[in-house]
PDB file of all heavy atoms in Angstrom:
ATOM      1  N   GLU I 185     244.474 108.061 155.548  1.00  0.00           N
ATOM      2  CA  GLU I 185     243.941 109.386 155.364  1.00  0.00           C
ATOM      3  C   GLU I 185     244.889 110.457 155.944  1.00  0.00           C
ATOM      4  O   GLU I 185     244.971 111.554 155.503  1.00  0.00           O
ATOM      5  CB  GLU I 185     242.575 109.532 155.975  1.00  0.00           C
ATOM      6  CG  GLU I 185     242.453 109.471 157.488  1.00  0.00           C
ATOM      7  CD  GLU I 185     242.634 108.099 158.113  1.00  0.00           C
ATOM      8  OE1 GLU I 185     242.693 107.115 157.305  1.00  0.00           O
ATOM      9  OE2 GLU I 185     242.747 107.951 159.319  1.00  0.00           O
ATOM     10  N   ALA I 186     245.631 110.021 156.970  1.00  0.00           N
ATOM     11  CA  ALA I 186     246.590 110.931 157.643  1.00  0.00           C
ATOM     12  C   ALA I 186     247.947 110.863 157.017  1.00  0.00           C
ATOM     13  O   ALA I 186     248.715 111.828 157.049  1.00  0.00           O
ATOM     14  CB  ALA I 186     246.631 110.688 159.173  1.00  0.00           C
ATOM     15  N   PHE I 187     248.292 109.654 156.506  1.00  0.00           N
ATOM     16  CA  PHE I 187     249.633 109.398 155.939  1.00  0.00           C
ATOM     17  C   PHE I 187     249.442 108.863 154.525  1.00  0.00           C
ATOM     18  O   PHE I 187     249.532 107.652 154.277  1.00  0.00           O
ATOM     19  CB  PHE I 187     250.384 108.402 156.818  1.00  0.00           C
ATOM     20  CG  PHE I 187     250.462 108.769 158.251  1.00  0.00           C
ATOM     21  CD1 PHE I 187     249.915 107.905 159.190  1.00  0.00           C
ATOM     22  CD2 PHE I 187     251.050 109.966 158.665  1.00  0.00           C
ATOM     23  CE1 PHE I 187     249.974 108.247 160.558  1.00  0.00           C
ATOM     24  CE2 PHE I 187     251.085 110.281 160.047  1.00  0.00           C
ATOM     25  CZ  PHE I 187     250.562 109.460 161.009  1.00  0.00           C
ATOM     26  N   PRO I 188     249.215 109.734 153.540  1.00  0.00           N
ATOM     27  CA  PRO I 188     248.889 109.247 152.188  1.00  0.00           C
ATOM     28  C   PRO I 188     250.131 108.550 151.484  1.00  0.00           C
ATOM     29  O   PRO I 188     249.907 107.739 150.600  1.00  0.00           O
ATOM     30  CB  PRO I 188     248.540 110.512 151.460  1.00  0.00           C
ATOM     31  CG  PRO I 188     249.095 111.678 152.270  1.00  0.00           C
ATOM     32  CD  PRO I 188     249.108 111.188 153.688  1.00  0.00           C
ATOM     33  N   ASP I 189     251.328 108.880 151.915  1.00  0.00           N
ATOM     34  CA  ASP I 189     252.499 108.307 151.302  1.00  0.00           C
ATOM     35  C   ASP I 189     253.038 107.206 152.253  1.00  0.00           C
ATOM     36  O   ASP I 189     254.168 107.297 152.727  1.00  0.00           O
ATOM     37  CB  ASP I 189     253.556 109.332 151.016  1.00  0.00           C
ATOM     38  CG  ASP I 189     254.683 108.784 150.171  1.00  0.00           C
ATOM     39  OD1 ASP I 189     254.579 107.578 149.692  1.00  0.00           O
ATOM     40  OD2 ASP I 189     255.688 109.521 149.873  1.00  0.00           O
ATOM     41  N   ALA I 190     252.233 106.168 152.511  1.00  0.00           N
ATOM     42  CA  ALA I 190     252.651 105.073 153.387  1.00  0.00           C
ATOM     43  C   ALA I 190     253.573 104.146 152.671  1.00  0.00           C
ATOM     44  O   ALA I 190     253.353 103.802 151.466  1.00  0.00           O
ATOM     45  CB  ALA I 190     251.428 104.344 153.900  1.00  0.00           C
ATOM     46  N   ARG I 191     254.622 103.675 153.392  1.00  0.00           N
ATOM     47  CA  ARG I 191     255.621 102.748 152.770  1.00  0.00           C
ATOM     48  C   ARG I 191     255.843 101.576 153.694  1.00  0.00           C
ATOM     49  O   ARG I 191     255.549 101.582 154.882  1.00  0.00           O
ATOM     50  CB  ARG I 191     256.973 103.527 152.664  1.00  0.00           C
ATOM     51  CG  ARG I 191     256.931 104.848 151.854  1.00  0.00           C
ATOM     52  CD  ARG I 191     256.818 104.647 150.364  1.00  0.00           C
ATOM     53  NE  ARG I 191     256.847 105.907 149.699  1.00  0.00           N
ATOM     54  CZ  ARG I 191     257.947 106.485 149.203  1.00  0.00           C
ATOM     55  NH1 ARG I 191     259.141 105.827 149.333  1.00  0.00           N
ATOM     56  NH2 ARG I 191     257.972 107.625 148.614  1.00  0.00           N
ATOM     57  N   GLY I 192     256.448 100.542 153.116  1.00  0.00           N
ATOM     58  CA  GLY I 192     256.967  99.434 153.926  1.00  0.00           C
ATOM     59  C   GLY I 192     258.441  99.655 154.303  1.00  0.00           C
ATOM     60  O   GLY I 192     259.004 100.640 153.804  1.00  0.00           O
ATOM     61  N   PRO I 193     258.903  98.794 155.139  1.00  0.00           N
ATOM     62  CA  PRO I 193     258.303  97.644 155.703  1.00  0.00           C
ATOM     63  C   PRO I 193     257.284  97.937 156.794  1.00  0.00           C
ATOM     64  O   PRO I 193     257.349  99.015 157.396  1.00  0.00           O
ATOM     65  CB  PRO I 193     259.540  96.880 156.369  1.00  0.00           C
ATOM     66  CG  PRO I 193     260.527  97.965 156.643  1.00  0.00           C
ATOM     67  CD  PRO I 193     260.352  98.993 155.556  1.00  0.00           C
ATOM     68  N   GLU I 194     256.306  97.013 156.930  1.00  0.00           N
ATOM     69  CA  GLU I 194     255.235  97.265 157.899  1.00  0.00           C
ATOM     70  C   GLU I 194     255.737  97.065 159.354  1.00  0.00           C
ATOM     71  O   GLU I 194     255.365  97.844 160.281  1.00  0.00           O
ATOM     72  CB  GLU I 194     254.102  96.268 157.607  1.00  0.00           C
ATOM     73  CG  GLU I 194     252.889  96.520 158.470  1.00  0.00           C
ATOM     74  CD  GLU I 194     251.695  95.662 158.088  1.00  0.00           C
ATOM     75  OE1 GLU I 194     251.815  94.906 157.023  1.00  0.00           O
ATOM     76  OE2 GLU I 194     250.713  95.650 158.779  1.00  0.00           O
ATOM     77  N   HIS I 195     256.521  96.033 159.556  1.00  0.00           N
ATOM     78  CA  HIS I 195     256.941  95.686 160.933  1.00  0.00           C
ATOM     79  C   HIS I 195     258.487  95.658 161.028  1.00  0.00           C
ATOM     80  O   HIS I 195     259.173  95.468 160.039  1.00  0.00           O
ATOM     81  CB  HIS I 195     256.410  94.298 161.290  1.00  0.00           C
ATOM     82  CG  HIS I 195     254.914  94.261 161.361  1.00  0.00           C
ATOM     83  ND1 HIS I 195     254.173  94.923 162.348  1.00  0.00           N
ATOM     84  CD2 HIS I 195     254.012  93.595 160.612  1.00  0.00           C
ATOM     85  CE1 HIS I 195     252.867  94.729 162.148  1.00  0.00           C
ATOM     86  NE2 HIS I 195     252.768  93.906 161.114  1.00  0.00           N
ATOM     87  N   VAL I 196     258.982  95.764 162.193  1.00  0.00           N
ATOM     88  CA  VAL I 196     260.419  95.745 162.458  1.00  0.00           C
ATOM     89  C   VAL I 196     260.958  94.405 162.173  1.00  0.00           C
ATOM     90  O   VAL I 196     260.300  93.309 162.353  1.00  0.00           O
ATOM     91  CB  VAL I 196     260.715  96.227 163.887  1.00  0.00           C
ATOM     92  CG1 VAL I 196     260.247  95.198 164.915  1.00  0.00           C
ATOM     93  CG2 VAL I 196     262.166  96.464 164.083  1.00  0.00           C
ATOM     94  N   SER I 197     262.218  94.370 161.730  1.00  0.00           N
ATOM     95  CA  SER I 197     262.961  93.129 161.466  1.00  0.00           C
ATOM     96  C   SER I 197     264.140  92.984 162.479  1.00  0.00           C
ATOM     97  O   SER I 197     264.885  93.989 162.577  1.00  0.00           O
ATOM     98  CB  SER I 197     263.471  93.134 160.022  1.00  0.00           C
ATOM     99  OG  SER I 197     264.688  92.362 159.921  1.00  0.00           O
ATOM    100  N   ALA I 198     264.270  91.929 163.156  1.00  0.00           N
ATOM    101  CA  ALA I 198     265.394  91.726 164.072  1.00  0.00           C
ATOM    102  C   ALA I 198     266.717  91.763 163.312  1.00  0.00           C
ATOM    103  O   ALA I 198     267.754  92.213 163.808  1.00  0.00           O
ATOM    104  CB  ALA I 198     265.285  90.430 164.820  1.00  0.00           C
ATOM    105  N   GLY I 199     266.727  91.360 162.052  1.00  0.00           N
ATOM    106  CA  GLY I 199     267.917  91.404 161.238  1.00  0.00           C
ATOM    107  C   GLY I 199     268.397  92.864 161.001  1.00  0.00           C
ATOM    108  O   GLY I 199     269.510  93.186 161.064  1.00  0.00           O
ATOM    109  N   ALA I 200     267.425  93.790 160.754  1.00  0.00           N
ATOM    110  CA  ALA I 200     267.742  95.188 160.584  1.00  0.00           C
ATOM    111  C   ALA I 200     268.212  95.773 161.850  1.00  0.00           C
ATOM    112  O   ALA I 200     269.148  96.626 161.910  1.00  0.00           O
ATOM    113  CB  ALA I 200     266.519  95.943 160.023  1.00  0.00           C
ATOM    114  N   LEU I 201     267.523  95.388 162.950  1.00  0.00           N
ATOM    115  CA  LEU I 201     267.911  95.901 164.296  1.00  0.00           C
ATOM    116  C   LEU I 201     269.330  95.436 164.614  1.00  0.00           C
ATOM    117  O   LEU I 201     270.106  96.305 165.101  1.00  0.00           O
ATOM    118  CB  LEU I 201     266.966  95.306 165.336  1.00  0.00           C
ATOM    119  CG  LEU I 201     266.806  96.033 166.679  1.00  0.00           C
ATOM    120  CD1 LEU I 201     265.982  97.285 166.471  1.00  0.00           C
ATOM    121  CD2 LEU I 201     266.098  95.121 167.704  1.00  0.00           C
ATOM    122  N   ALA I 202     269.687  94.237 164.394  1.00  0.00           N
ATOM    123  CA  ALA I 202     271.056  93.675 164.635  1.00  0.00           C
ATOM    124  C   ALA I 202     272.074  94.355 163.734  1.00  0.00           C
ATOM    125  O   ALA I 202     273.165  94.730 164.201  1.00  0.00           O
ATOM    126  CB  ALA I 202     271.054  92.138 164.455  1.00  0.00           C
ATOM    127  N   GLY I 203     271.716  94.538 162.462  1.00  0.00           N
ATOM    128  CA  GLY I 203     272.635  95.243 161.554  1.00  0.00           C
ATOM    129  C   GLY I 203     272.955  96.615 162.003  1.00  0.00           C
ATOM    130  O   GLY I 203     274.137  97.058 161.965  1.00  0.00           O
TER     131      GLY I 203
END
Side-chain angles (χ1 to χ4, degrees):
E185 69 286 352
F187 307 120
D189 190 3
R191 306 283 185 93
E194 182 175 357
H195 298 292
V196 67
S197 150
L201 203 75

